[in-house]
Amino acid sequence: MKPWCGGTLIVSLALFLLFTYSSLLRSPSPPPPPPPPSKPNASTFFKRLSHNAPTRPVSASFEGLDLLFSSPSSSDAQLVWPHMRPVISRSDALPNTADGVREASIAWTDLSAAILAAPDARSAGSEDERRCPYSVSDGDGGGGLVFPCGLVRDSSVTLVGVVSGGKSGFRVEVIGSNDSSEAAPPLLLHYNVSLGGEPAIAQNTWTERSGWGAEERCPSRSPPVDRKVDGLVKCNERINGSSLNFPFIESQLFTANLWVHDEGFHMTVNGKHETSFSYRENLEPWLASGVRVEGDLEILSLLVNGLPVSGDLEVDVEALRAPVVAKKKVFMVVGVFSTVNNFERRMALRRSWMQYGAVRSGDVVVRFFTGLHKNTQVNLELWEESQTYGDIQLMPFVDYYSLITLKTVAICIFGTKILAAKYIMKTDDDAFVRIDEVVSSLEKKSTHGLLYGLIAFNSEPHRDKESKWYISEQEWPRATYPPWAHGPGYVITHDIAKFIVRGHKDRYLPLFKLEDVAMGIWIQQFKDGGQEVEYADDDRFHNSGCEENYVLAHYQGPRMMLCLWEKLLIEKEPVCCE
């Protein structure tokens, strides 16, 4: 009995151990400790915030979109159109995209009809009717003037008058262009002078869709805002606190000059600056169509001067026409941001730095990227210009400042899909570019992963709501941006441009309304994908004027462009003209 019992115990123990071991094998192993949270990079952080969802933006439908793209022209001015629809029709579209597309569809339909009716845009009427006049005047005291081609930088409205005995004051209004969908045109500026009680000047805007904007009063009823417009205070201190210093006095003659600059409208009365008013979104000066003066005053003279002129009959067109690009692969494509009615600026570029040998040979290809206007006359002038010089790429939206990032994508499309450029450069139509020096510098730099220009490192978003570059915390919550290059001029390599085009076609790159910062964000995402990036900082790219030994000089008007070019030809040195 004892041996059998011992065997039983041994067998039982073996079975127990086998069961226990099997149970251990079946039991799941404890999960590993979670990895420490990684610090989000700029690209993933921005994508998560901008989309607010794990999915990519989807295709959106805007009024007029199908009409705009239904029958694209075969014109060389629309080469990028087939590639732009996925960029425009995003559910996370840039502000005012819907308006820009809707208005562009109307403008394009009207322009197409006008071209069919008069293939030569200048054959539509008399010389006075078909050209954009440099100035218009009214010496009869009618109180209103129409100018068909908008306002540009340094345009001015001069009013000479006498304030009459009424106490209600008077108004000066800059009227915007409207299309067939709008019953009344917008007011780009409503300048209201009140003489009763405490004299004051109120400035505002109005649109049929949004009504009145936020009024800006001078003197202000609230603490003064330090924000300046083109470096000038919004309200001259000599007005504040004293009606004796008010610029408009009953029965006294005055000369008021309302002038246009980069950031806003400015009013000078009897030679002294009085007020400044920042342009409001979608109410930029190039959309102006007239001025109206009403109220208790006698108008002696009303003159609008410095208007955009669309053509110069004294130039040699053949010498300025874009050369035929005989090969698809080129050294560099230069995309120039230009507003639709900046005719004189584009002509100044054609007569100056676009005459460099590298441009004339076709190694460097320069194209102006220009949106449409709500005014058919302006679009006709632009169309004829594009057909004459062959260097304009039309955009399928109205030329609003809030949509300029779309032009950046269009430039990348042109430099990768239309041509195969080793480098792609973006610049503005008020920037003088030494193409020879840019080419020389690039020949010593990398052909992959390059951002070349005046680089901003660790720059902070503008949180002032009145700033032209205002960015809310919802749009960008981080304290700093990724490195980016200042917008007047920068260069990227083909691989970056190709990444941007693909990223917007597939909608995994975010849109951002500041185009130069957007480029920095996209390059950061390119870098986060495992690509090497070289940030080549060059302080010879001057974004606020001209300095000796410049590579790029910003804020140069047409006369300065020609002066800088003449100095290069004669003195063989990059000397400024101020």
Side-chain angles (χ1 to χ4, degrees):
M1 294 297 293
K2 288 183 179 178
W4 182 84
C5 290
T8 301
L9 289 173
I10 292 172
V11 171
S12 300
L13 179 61
L15 290 172
F16 173 78
L17 292 174
L18 180 62
F19 175 81
T20 304
Y21 181 70
S22 300
S23 300
L24 289 173
L25 290 176
R26 289 195 302 267
S27 300
S29 58
S38 59
K39 184 177 180 181
N41 58 48
S43 61
T44 57
F45 187 69
F46 181 80
K47 182 182 292 186
R48 186 166 63 248
L49 289 166
S50 63
H51 303 332
N52 198 26
T55 58
R56 294 178 186 173
V58 297
S59 179
S61 179
F62 301 122
E63 181 184 349
L65 188 66
D66 291 336
L67 177 63
L68 193 59
F69 285 93
S70 61
S71 55
S73 168
S74 59
S75 167
D76 287 344
Q78 295 172 272
L79 295 175
V80 301
W81 278 42
H83 307 278
M84 286 295 291
R85 181 161 184 163
V87 185
I88 295 174
S89 57
R90 295 175 54 145
S91 57
D92 64 339
L94 289 167
N96 305 312
T97 299
D99 287 339
V101 169
R102 176 181 56 82
E103 293 163 359
S105 69
I106 298 171
W108 180 247
T109 300
D110 293 344
L111 174 61
S112 300
I115 294 171
L116 289 174
D120 181 359
R122 294 203 184 281
S123 66
S126 67
E127 183 70 15
D128 291 338
E129 293 174 340
R130 62 186 183 240
R131 294 188 61 85
C132 298
Y134 181 76
S135 64
V136 291
S137 61
D138 179 12
D140 300 327
L145 289 173
V146 174
F147 35 88
C149 300
L151 300 172
V152 290
R153 182 185 179 185
D154 297 330
S155 295
S156 63
V157 179
T158 303
L159 168 64
V160 180
V162 177
V163 178
S164 59
K167 295 298 183 182
S168 61
F170 64 93
R171 296 161 300 285
V172 180
E173 296 178 328
V174 179
I175 305 167
S177 300
N178 67 315
D179 55 48
S180 57
S181 67
E182 298 169 304
L187 298 180
L188 310 185
L189 174 64
H190 172 77
Y191 194 90
N192 187 18
V193 178
S194 300
L195 299 175
E198 294 184 4
I201 299 169
Q203 300 176 99
N204 209 340
T205 55
W206 179 88
T207 65
E208 184 179 51
R209 178 172 299 183
S210 303
W212 290 103
E215 181 180 275
E216 296 182 15
R217 187 179 175 87
C218 183
S220 177
R221 291 170 177 166
S222 56
V225 180
D226 292 335
R227 161 101 172 108
K228 295 184 177 181
V229 184
D230 293 312
L232 298 171
V233 295
K234 288 194 167 186
C235 182
N236 195 316
E237 291 181 359
R238 78 187 191 90
I239 293 179
N240 293 337
S242 174
S243 60
L244 296 177
N245 290 328
F246 197 70
F248 301 103
I249 301 173
E250 183 180 339
S251 302
Q252 289 195 12
L253 178 73
F254 69 85
T255 299
N257 191 48
L258 180 69
W259 52 284
V260 175
H261 209 60
D262 296 306
E263 298 179 7
F265 292 105
H266 306 275
M267 178 66 85
T268 300
V269 183
N270 298 330
K272 295 182 180 180
H273 170 258
E274 296 296 343
T275 59
S276 295
F277 183 80
S278 298
Y279 304 131
R280 300 268 173 93
E281 207 165 62
N282 281 22
L283 297 172
E284 289 93 349
W286 52 83
L287 295 170
S289 63
V291 62
R292 178 171 58 215
V293 182
E294 297 176 330
D296 295 326
L297 80 163
E298 179 186 359
I299 302 173
L300 301 180
S301 177
L302 183 60
L303 169 69
V304 184
N305 203 30
L307 296 172
V309 178
S310 58
D312 186 350
L313 300 179
E314 302 301 322
V315 300
D316 182 356
V317 171
E318 289 302 320
L320 304 182
R321 194 191 309 273
V324 176
V325 181
K327 50 189 177 181
K328 184 174 177 60
K329 292 185 178 181
V330 298
F331 182 80
M332 183 168 65
V333 160
V334 182
V336 184
F337 279 14
S338 186
T339 304
V340 56
N341 64 349
N342 274 343
F343 310 111
E344 291 178 284
R345 289 190 188 182
R346 291 191 291 273
M347 188 59 70
L349 264 61
R350 294 182 185 111
R351 297 172 64 181
S352 59
W353 60 262
M354 286 174 66
Q355 289 296 309
Y356 272 111
V359 178
R360 299 312 302 169
S361 69
D363 290 335
V364 174
V365 176
V366 184
R367 293 293 183 268
F368 297 100
F369 287 74
T370 306
L372 295 170
H373 199 282
K374 293 200 286 185
N375 183 298
T376 303
Q377 177 64 35
V378 179
N379 290 329
L380 269 172
E381 299 287 346
L382 180 66
W383 177 260
E384 185 192 57
E385 182 186 351
S386 71
Q387 301 306 297
T388 300
Y389 297 103
D391 55 13
I392 290 176
Q393 284 297 301
L394 298 178
M395 297 290 97
F397 48 82
V398 166
D399 227 337
Y400 290 133
Y401 180 80
S402 58
L403 301 182
I404 60 173
T405 299
L406 300 178
K407 290 186 179 182
T408 305
V409 181
I411 291 172
C412 293
I413 290 171
F414 193 89
T416 57
K417 295 289 188 180
I418 310 305
L419 296 175
K422 187 180 295 185
Y423 298 98
I424 292 93
M425 181 176 188
K426 178 264 164 177
T427 188
D428 295 331
D429 63 7
D430 62 348
F432 188 97
V433 184
R434 289 180 59 207
I435 292 293
D436 60 342
E437 189 60 32
V438 172
V439 170
S440 176
S441 297
L442 289 174
E443 287 174 343
K444 305 169 188 174
K445 299 187 184 302
S446 173
T447 58
H448 300 283
L450 174 71
L451 175 63
Y452 172 47
L454 182 63
I455 311 294
F457 296 95
N458 298 315
S459 63
E460 300 178 356
H462 288 258
R463 300 303 191 193
D464 178 3
K465 291 184 178 180
E466 297 190 28
S467 171
K468 182 180 181 181
W469 302 281
Y470 167 69
I471 295 295
S472 68
E473 291 188 0
Q474 183 179 4
E475 292 172 294
W476 186 263
R478 298 191 61 153
T480 59
Y481 291 127
W484 55 278
H486 287 272
Y490 58 80
V491 183
I492 60 173
T493 42
H494 182 93
D495 54 348
I496 291 178
K498 187 176 179 179
F499 170 80
I500 290 169
V501 173
R502 184 174 62 250
H504 284 288
K505 179 183 177 182
D506 296 338
R507 300 192 177 102
Y508 59 76
L509 285 181
L511 288 170
F512 196 67
K513 66 184 180 184
L514 304 181
E515 69 85 19
D516 43 12
V517 177
M519 178 60 72
I521 292 170
W522 301 333
I523 291 176
Q524 181 65 47
Q525 292 186 236
F526 177 79
K527 183 178 179 182
D528 291 339
Q531 303 294 326
E532 292 188 4
V533 173
E534 177 187 351
Y535 296 100
D537 185 25
D538 191 337
D539 60 8
R540 296 177 300 164
F541 283 71
H542 298 293
N543 68 334
S544 58
C546 179
E547 293 186 26
E548 301 283 322
N549 197 34
Y550 64 87
V551 169
L552 180 145
H554 194 211
Y555 294 139
Q556 304 301 300
R559 290 184 180 180
M560 285 295 184
M561 290 282 182
L562 298 176
C563 175
L564 290 172
W565 182 243
E566 184 178 5
K567 284 184 175 293
L568 283 173
L569 294 178
I570 296 175
E571 301 181 26
K572 310 298 182 183
E573 296 288 340
V575 181
C576 299
C577 290
E578 290 84 355

